[in-house]
Amino acid sequence: MCEVASILQDRIVMLVDLDYFFAQCEERRNPSIKGKPVVVCVYSGRTEDSGAVSTANYVARRYGVKSGIPISLAKSKLKDVDAVFLPVDKQFYREVSDEIMEILRGYADCFEQMGIDEAYLDVTQRTKGNCREAEELAATIKGDVLTQQKLTCSIGVGPNKLVAKIAADFQKPDGLTLVEPKEVQSFLAPLPVRRLVGVGRKTEKRLETLGVITVGQLARFDVQKLIGVFGRKLGAYFHNASLGVDDEPVQERSEPESVSRISTLKEDTRDLAVILDEAYRLCDEVYAKLMRRRLVYRSVSIHVVAGDLSVHSRSKTFENPTSDLKAFKRAVKELYEKFLGESGVAARRVGVKVSNLSRKEELQKQLTNFFGFPKH
Ligand code: TTP
Ligand code: MG
């Protein structure tokens, strides 16, 4: 679907980027810290303050705190300020990210997740190539993410990935920037070259020595000279990028290897009914995700984190892939029964997982071949 869109002249692509993502997740978890500078840190563990800042909310950014700086430097910038320093909790951010990505996926003709907090959506077909409709859709998406997940994001809308990305960065946080095809060059021209994907600090310096500071100057710079300096591939890329030309399709990444959910019980227990009550709820969530992504599974696992934090698991693999929820729950029940029979520990956290995933369409194809149904 999107490959067709990519060869059409006018595509509409969005880049959705969650604002100060890790720190915003922390604010959502504990709203009382909102309004204070929040700094999420990767502590290296050597000394109390050794390590780097992963990200910071916009309040902290006003004090000059940003990703990558040493924690000690962030602390000195926030001296005498009531700031909050927290360690990264990747698992929590990933869970939030997964749920948001599912919302976004539902709005795209074609979807490509780029990292934990950003994704490209090709929306050409559903907006009939109409920019205003795309802008309204972006506003709807922002509203949905906010009401369902209590997080703000910034969205850039443009004719390709390159422009959408720059547009998303243009107004942050909680921004929405539409760049129509006819505006692309005037939008890009005043920006520093560094905004283009692929222009790092070194390239920026090199371009500066050629008298090129802005994207507009890069666009006017002789392409042959550019190729002379950076080589054919990169030189041509910089030239095209400066004009806002980019044919990269929005492409779904390969399927996940597994889908899992884990949750903490109210209290540690060995009661199968209590465990299954929670585990079945997790099965429903995993199953919903499989359905949305049109995946079937062949293996089922259960996980138990015991009161002493030891981790235990059991798994089972079916002969054939299936998309059956009842079979999933039956396997989960069997595995928990087996686990409780074999082990004396009480469960603190319980989880379920499906793996050996494949596409539903492939399963159907296999079955069709197997039964020898006519192809038409
Ligand atoms: P970004 O989207 O680059 O940053 P952000 O979401 O924190 O802020 P913005 O509002 O500008 O989008 O990165 C997403 C997450 O990735 C970020 O919340 C934390 C993590 N990250 C790091 O751990 N180290 C880094 O150097 C960067 C840039 C990000
Ligand atoms: Mg972000």
Side-chain angles (χ1 to χ4, degrees), residues 244-273:
V245 173
D246 169 31
D247 291 331
E248 279 296 303
V250 175
Q251 259 170 336
E252 182 80 50
R253 300 284 166 115
S254 58
E255 298 307 340
E257 281 177 8
S258 64
V259 178
S260 61
R261 285 284 182 272
I262 189 155
S263 112
T264 305
L265 299 169
K266 288 206 179 73
E267 50 194 39
D268 297 4
T269 185
R270 285 184 51 75
D271 185 335
L272 180 66

Side-chain angles (χ1 to χ4, degrees), residues 81-315:
V81 182
D82 182 19
V84 181
F85 285 79
L86 295 165
V88 280
D89 180 353
K90 253 309 188 29
Q91 191 183 331
F92 172 55
Y93 312 143
R94 194 157 292 288
E95 283 166 18
V96 177
S97 164
D98 272 359
E99 299 201 1
I100 293 175
M101 292 301 158
E102 288 306 325
I103 297 176
L104 301 181
R105 185 185 298 277
Y107 280 109
D109 302 335
C110 200
F111 180 81
E112 181 174 0
Q113 185 173 344
M114 292 306 289
I116 193 163
D117 88 326
E118 62 181 87
Y120 286 107
L121 283 66
D122 188 312
V123 295
T124 312
Q125 298 204 347
R126 66 187 56 206
T127 60
K128 300 179 257 358
N130 182 312
C131 287
R132 293 292 145 201
E133 243 178 78
E135 194 176 25
E136 277 169 31
L137 182 64
T140 305
I141 293 173
K142 281 166 65 72
D144 256 17
V145 173
L146 188 61
T147 44
Q148 291 182 41
Q149 290 294 325
K150 308 276 176 274
L151 287 195
T152 64
C153 59
S154 297
I155 303 187
V157 186
N160 55 46
K161 287 162 99 171
L162 179 119
V163 175
K165 166 92 179 151
I166 297 171
D169 281 341
F170 190 67
Q171 233 187 316
K172 260 184 158 292
D174 204 12
L176 198 181
T177 305
L178 164 71
V179 182
E180 294 192 42
K182 61 178 187 299
E183 303 163 340
V184 166
Q185 291 192 27
S186 59
F187 171 71
L188 295 179
L191 301 177
V193 285
R194 190 69 194 274
R195 289 292 185 90
L196 299 174
V197 177
V199 178
R201 205 167 295 153
K202 268 195 199 156
T203 308
E204 184 187 33
K205 280 261 147 62
R206 215 142 159 216
L207 285 169
E208 201 183 318
T209 61
L210 302 171
V212 175
I213 311 285
T214 66
V215 178
Q217 288 167 335
L218 183 58
R220 287 192 300 275
F221 198 83
D222 184 78
V223 61
Q224 290 310 326
K225 278 192 200 152
L226 217 49
I227 287 172
V229 177
F230 294 101
R232 179 158 298 280
K233 240 182 158 172
L234 214 51
Y237 167 76
F238 289 148
H239 180 70
N240 283 331
S242 70
L243 297 170
V245 173
D246 169 31
D247 291 331
E248 279 296 303
V250 175
Q251 259 170 336
E252 182 80 50
R253 300 284 166 115
S254 58
E255 298 307 340
E257 281 177 8
S258 64
V259 178
S260 61
R261 285 284 182 272
I262 189 155
S263 112
T264 305
L265 299 169
K266 288 206 179 73
E267 50 194 39
D268 297 4
T269 185
R270 285 184 51 75
D271 185 335
L272 180 66
V274 173
I275 292 174
L276 286 182
D277 202 38
E278 187 58 19
Y280 286 164
R281 199 183 59 73
L282 299 174
C283 288
D284 289 334
E285 284 183 25
V286 166
Y287 187 72
K289 182 160 182 177
L290 288 183
M291 290 302 98
R292 280 193 296 266
R293 301 198 63 170
R294 306 189 59 74
L295 294 169
V296 293
Y297 64 91
R298 209 155 75 80
S299 300
V300 174
S301 322
I302 58 142
H303 299 276
V304 174
V305 180
D308 63 1
L309 299 185
S310 58
V311 182
H312 310 260
S313 56
R314 297 285 184 278
S315 32

Side-chain angles (χ1 to χ4, degrees), residues 16-22 55 58 61 117-118 169 172:
V16 181
D17 187 338
L18 298 162
D19 299 322
Y20 62 102
F21 182 51
F22 293 2
T55 196
Y58 280 75
R61 288 183 199 191
D117 88 326
E118 62 181 87
D169 281 341
K172 260 184 158 292

